[in-house]
Amino acid sequence: MNITKEQIDELNAVVKVAISKDDYQEKVDQILKDYRKQANIPGFRKGQVPMGLIKKQYGKAVLVDEVNKLLQDNLNKYLTEEKLDVLGNPLPKQQDDFDWDNENLDFEFELGLAPSFEVKVKTKKAITQYKIVADKKMIDEQVDRIQKQYGKLVSKTEIGKQDEITGTFVNEAEEIEHKTTIELDKIKSKKAIDALVGQKVGESVALKTKGLFKEDYLLSSALGIDREKAEKLNIEVTFIIDEINEREPAVLDQELFDKLFGKDNVKSEKELRERIKEDSEKQFEQQSDQKLLNDVTEKLIEDTKFELPSEFLKKWIQVSGENPLTDDEASEEFEKSEKGLRYQLIEGKIIKENDLQVQFDELKEFAKGFIKSQMAQYGHLDPQEEELENVASRVMSNQDEVKRLSEQLMSQKLLDLFKEKANLKVKEVTYEDFVKEAYS
């Protein structure tokens, strides 16, 4: 067997594979002998079928199968040994006059080659790294929320502006009859608030659904309908009042602090506020990190210029899916995937040049940290090391989970690298301003 490469240009090449009879004949003959031993053909005893008949029936199929195996194994080996960085997979060139009866068989494969380029992580223009701070307004709101959540309900006979009302929304035409509890301070419509305030248990109020709540998503849960239907709804519903309660805020005392954070971990309102600020800013860090990762990615794609073997990739896309695509469909798919492919190449170069690797031991520790944070969400704040080890071992036995965690850990390594080497400018913002700037 002889394999040679013809370089078309920097991004395209053709590999030629010449296979002679000596490369495949011995294997083909052995397979046909095995077929003969097992063949059941009417008129012949098992194992006594003439070899000529076996070759006539199975010879071409066996030959094609063995040659294709040879091609696949040796082509992959050649690409590895020659250290050819290819995009997609080699594409066999169409040969209209190909004849499988020839003893010597010649094949050609098109290759799309990865481009050569440089990546500068330290971009000329600085990228904003947001540091989100919990301001006094946010902390005050969180303290109020805690006091409400852990406060007690005091029954009332008449609705006031800060009360919680349990009742049933009814509209026969839309088949709505749903019991729920609403908080008056979450009602947006001034007409609705005026209609409700002063009403008593057992009375009914007609309310318009459009613009009823400050947050649109509250309407679907209040009416017991799906969100899509709620978004289009503009009707009048009857609200039948069953119960009126005022929520008396919880006292900020040691009993409440212990309930929230464990015994004696927080001992005053000042410490509570400090803890809320610290915990909130830790959560914000995940969002600002994700924003930074996205922004650095976009900037690197924008600044790192290189050509791709576009025509080859369109051909490859055309034939590599479950169903063949037309030329136009393949071009459209290429345009959709081009940006992602560019970043894959950029990321791969950054990983290689900075020797970023995911080791098994650190992946396991990363998995344990992830498991610990998941447990904390369900109130299990202090798991034993043995428990974490057992859960992590189960997770690491699942290849899909290992792949997902490896990708997350590599993203973290890239983020750490960007924080160290990229041209960043730190900007302190409140969460409200971050949302406006980051997602406007």
Side-chain angles (χ1 to χ4, degrees):
M1 181 181 297
N2 185 37
I3 303 180
T4 56
K5 177 169 71 74
E6 179 188 339
Q7 194 77 27
I8 306 301
D9 55 41
E10 286 186 358
L11 300 174
N12 295 276
V14 172
V15 168
K16 298 180 179 181
V17 184
I19 297 179
S20 68
K21 186 176 181 180
D22 291 342
D23 295 319
Y24 61 79
Q25 194 61 55
E26 185 180 344
K27 184 68 174 173
V28 169
D29 287 345
Q30 184 58 53
I31 291 170
L32 290 174
K33 283 177 185 177
D34 292 340
Y35 273 32
R36 186 183 182 220
K37 290 175 187 176
Q38 302 299 325
N40 284 310
I41 296 178
F44 299 96
R45 284 185 297 166
K46 187 175 180 180
Q48 298 300 314
V49 181
M51 181 55 80
L53 187 57
I54 294 292
K55 285 182 177 179
K56 187 175 181 181
Q57 278 197 284
Y58 304 109
K60 184 64 68 65
V62 171
L63 171 66
V64 171
D65 190 43
E66 284 308 306
V67 168
N68 279 330
K69 285 179 186 175
L70 271 174
L71 280 171
Q72 186 174 350
D73 292 345
N74 286 278
L75 189 55
N76 288 338
K77 186 180 175 184
Y78 175 81
L79 296 177
T80 303
E81 288 175 348
E82 295 294 313
K83 297 179 181 176
L84 293 176
D85 193 0
V86 299
L87 301 179
N89 293 316
L91 287 179
K93 288 187 77 172
Q94 185 68 37
Q95 294 172 272
D96 295 329
D97 57 348
F98 190 83
D99 186 0
W100 283 98
D101 291 326
N102 286 336
E103 289 187 352
N104 297 319
L105 303 169
D106 295 318
F107 300 89
E108 293 185 356
F109 295 87
E110 294 180 68
L111 301 182
L113 304 176
S116 177
F117 59 91
E118 288 184 10
V119 180
K120 294 181 180 177
V121 173
K122 195 173 183 68
T123 55
K124 288 182 181 178
K125 187 177 178 182
I127 298 166
T128 301
Q129 180 182 4
Y130 290 96
K131 179 175 171 53
I132 308 170
V133 294
D135 60 352
K136 184 178 181 300
K137 179 188 173 188
M138 173 175 279
I139 296 168
D140 287 344
E141 287 173 351
Q142 185 67 6
V143 171
D144 288 344
R145 197 174 296 120
I146 288 169
Q147 287 186 278
K148 278 186 179 180
Q149 184 180 345
Y150 290 92
K152 63 180 180 181
L153 292 176
V154 179
S155 182
K156 291 181 65 179
T157 57
E158 190 176 291
I159 298 175
K161 286 191 175 181
Q162 298 298 316
D163 292 342
E164 295 180 12
I165 315 149
T166 299
T168 305
F169 281 104
V170 178
N171 180 289
E172 289 185 13
E174 294 292 335
E175 297 182 341
I176 293 170
E177 185 174 346
H178 188 250
K179 187 167 184 174
T180 188
T181 298
I182 59 174
E183 298 171 44
L184 228 65
D185 61 2
K186 290 183 178 174
I187 299 284
K188 179 182 179 182
S189 166
K190 189 175 182 303
K191 282 186 179 179
I193 293 170
D194 291 342
L196 286 163
V197 171
Q199 298 292 332
K200 296 181 172 63
V201 172
E203 295 180 332
S204 300
V205 182
L207 302 171
K208 293 279 188 183
T209 57
K210 191 166 180 67
L212 180 59
F213 292 100
K214 291 177 182 176
E215 301 289 344
D216 291 339
Y217 75 90
L218 291 171
L219 183 63
S220 63
S221 60
L223 301 183
I225 58 177
D226 66 60
R227 199 161 174 176
E228 190 177 343
K229 181 178 179 181
E231 285 172 0
K232 299 173 184 174
L233 211 57
N234 184 13
I235 59 169
E236 187 175 274
V237 289
T238 301
F239 185 62
I240 304 163
I241 302 161
D242 297 327
E243 191 180 328
I244 305 166
N245 290 295
E246 180 183 8
R247 190 169 285 274
E248 188 177 285
V251 178
L252 298 175
D253 58 12
Q254 194 60 47
E255 184 183 350
L256 178 61
F257 302 151
D258 290 349
K259 189 182 291 185
L260 290 169
F261 303 106
K263 187 165 178 58
D264 293 335
N265 287 321
V266 170
K267 295 181 179 179
S268 66
E269 183 179 344
K270 182 184 176 185
E271 287 185 18
L272 170 68
R273 289 174 173 275
E274 288 171 354
R275 181 66 179 263
I276 289 170
K277 181 178 175 64
E278 181 187 337
D279 289 351
S280 297
E281 289 178 358
K282 273 184 186 173
Q283 292 179 352
F284 296 152
E285 195 175 336
Q286 293 178 356
Q287 288 178 267
S288 62
D289 280 353
Q290 188 58 55
K291 172 67 175 163
L292 177 62
L293 197 58
N294 293 344
D295 289 347
V296 172
T297 297
E298 290 293 330
K299 190 62 180 165
L300 288 173
I301 293 171
E302 182 186 327
D303 288 359
T304 310
K305 306 296 185 186
F306 54 82
E307 295 296 320
L308 289 169
S310 305
E311 292 309 311
F312 169 83
L313 289 169
K314 287 174 190 176
K315 277 192 211 174
W316 178 67
I317 289 170
Q318 196 168 8
V319 299
S320 62
E322 201 170 306
N323 298 309
L325 302 179
T326 65
D327 290 348
D328 289 343
E329 287 171 337
S331 294
E332 189 179 334
E333 282 301 311
F334 174 71
E335 285 173 18
K336 287 179 188 174
S337 60
E338 183 181 1
K339 191 174 181 180
L341 174 58
R342 287 182 177 277
Y343 185 65
Q344 277 181 22
L345 292 169
I346 292 167
E347 185 184 82
K349 197 168 184 69
I350 292 171
I351 289 169
K352 186 177 180 181
E353 289 181 350
N354 292 277
D355 195 26
L356 301 181
Q357 297 177 29
V358 173
Q359 305 291 349
F360 179 82
D361 288 344
E362 64 179 343
L363 183 60
K364 193 170 186 180
E365 287 304 309
F366 183 74
K368 283 157 75 171
F370 178 76
I371 292 160
K372 194 172 182 179
S373 67
Q374 292 288 99
M375 287 179 168
Q377 290 181 21
Y378 294 96
H380 192 2
L381 300 176
D382 191 24
Q384 297 297 308
E385 179 62 25
E386 186 180 353
E387 185 180 5
L388 285 173
E389 186 72 27
N390 289 337
V391 177
S393 294
R394 287 200 299 274
V395 169
M396 298 290 283
S397 67
N398 183 317
Q399 289 304 309
D400 290 337
E401 283 298 307
V402 169
K403 184 174 182 290
R404 183 177 65 83
L405 288 168
S406 296
E407 288 169 354
Q408 288 182 359
L409 180 53
M410 183 54 76
S411 288
Q412 185 60 53
K413 285 175 176 281
L414 285 165
L415 180 65
D416 292 341
L417 179 78
F418 295 152
K419 284 181 178 180
E420 179 191 344
K421 295 189 174 183
N423 182 11
L424 305 178
K425 58 177 180 183
V426 178
K427 183 176 183 180
E428 274 198 10
V429 289
T430 64
Y431 184 71
E432 193 175 329
D433 287 340
F434 171 74
V435 172
K436 286 177 185 174
E437 288 193 32
Y439 303 111
S440 59

